Each structure stands twice: as C-alpha cells, then as structure tokens.
C-alpha cells in the first residue's frame, strides 16, 4: 500500500521547513491556517493566517541564525483529516543550544494544512531558549 496523502503532505512540509522553502510551505497551507505555539516566549501564541505562520517560521530561523532543524521520527494519520508528527528539533541561539522532542497535531482540509498545534517536551526550557520579545 502507498503512503496516505495526509502523511505525505506532512512529510513534504517537514522537508520544506528544514530547507527554509517558505514558498512550498505556503502552497501546503490554507489561507486561514493557524499555528498554536506553546509557552510564553516571543514565538508563543496563536499565529493566525498563512502569512503569520510563515512569519513565525522565518523568525525561528532568524533567532537561531538559521540553525533550526527538525528530524521527523513518525507520522500517524486517522484518515479523517488529522495527522500527528513526532520529531526531535535542534537549534542554537547565541552561546546556547537546544535539543527537544516534540510533536505537531495537524488538521488537514482538502489536502492542505488548516490548523497546527505544537506540543513540546519542556515548555519552561523552550521559553528560556527563545526568550521574550527583544
């Protein structure tokens, strides 16, 4: 059997993110896509709209000096428009590095990402790493 379309979408999204290919990511999201980032750092919150989600991704790369990357471990789908992707992500910021397990919960509508919820292993650690708005 072939890969489920929702799983393939998520895998392509991770590949595009890791290469900084925002144009490809834009084609994979609905215009009103929302990304929910946990914690209380400068990158936390509800980023509503494709342009704001892409702006968040650009900021992650900017704050990490382009060092941010994710290693996708698995994608599970339910066949009803939901996918869960488990990963480990890495980044450096100044003289500090971070390595953390996490997951994204996707709602997929019409073959596009409509909503993305992020879960992380340690919210306090990511808040300390990303810091408050400068």
């Amino acid at each position: 059997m072939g890969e489920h379309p929702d799983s393939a979408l998520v895998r392509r999204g991770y590949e595009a993110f890791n290469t900084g290919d925002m144009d490809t990511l834009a084609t994979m999201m609905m215009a009103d896509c929302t990304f929910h980032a946990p914690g209380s750092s400068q990158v936390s919150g509800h980023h509503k709209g494709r342009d704001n989600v892409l702006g968040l991704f650009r900021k992650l790369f900017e704050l990490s000096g382009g060092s941010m990357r994710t290693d996708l471990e698995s994608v599970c789908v339910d066949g009803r428009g939901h996918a869960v992707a488990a990963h480990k992500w890495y980044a450096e910021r100044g003289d500090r590095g971070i390595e953390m397990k996490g997951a994204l919960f996707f709602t997929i509508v019409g073959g596009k990402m409509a909503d993305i919820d992020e879960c992380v292993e340690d919210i306090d650690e990511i808040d300390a790493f990303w810091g408050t708005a400068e």
Side-chain angles (χ1 to χ4, degrees):
M1 272 200 313
E3 185 174 39
H4 190 278
D6 292 345
S7 181
L9 176 74
V10 170
R11 287 184 192 283
R12 286 192 320 271
Y14 271 80
E15 290 169 11
F17 179 85
N18 278 334
T19 61
D21 186 352
M22 298 300 153
D23 291 337
T24 295
L25 280 170
T27 68
M28 302 170 80
M29 295 179 195
M30 297 186 75
D32 61 350
C33 182
T34 302
F35 189 99
H36 309 275
S40 58
S41 75
Q42 63 180 314
V43 297
S44 299
H46 306 288
H47 305 271
K48 298 179 183 182
R50 177 177 43 225
D51 291 343
N52 290 324
V53 173
L54 295 173
L56 166 65
F57 295 167
R58 286 184 189 98
K59 186 169 188 171
L60 294 172
F61 282 109
E62 176 187 321
L63 291 171
S64 69
S67 68
M68 181 153 190
R69 77 177 200 281
T70 57
D71 289 343
L72 181 60
E73 295 175 355
S74 65
V75 180
C76 299
V77 298
D78 69 358
R80 296 177 290 117
H82 301 109
V84 177
H87 60 256
K88 187 178 278 186
W89 62 274
Y90 309 83
E92 295 176 4
R93 185 161 186 241
D95 62 352
R96 183 176 187 161
I98 192 168
E99 174 181 321
M100 185 175 294
K101 290 181 181 180
L104 296 178
F105 180 83
F106 295 86
T107 300
I108 299 167
V109 177
K112 293 195 176 206
M113 299 170 189
D115 194 79
I116 307 166
D117 279 291
E118 180 182 18
C119 297
V120 296
E121 195 171 41
D122 187 332
I123 292 173
D124 292 335
E125 186 176 346
I126 64 162
D127 282 346
F129 180 78
W130 294 119
T132 57
E134 297 173 357

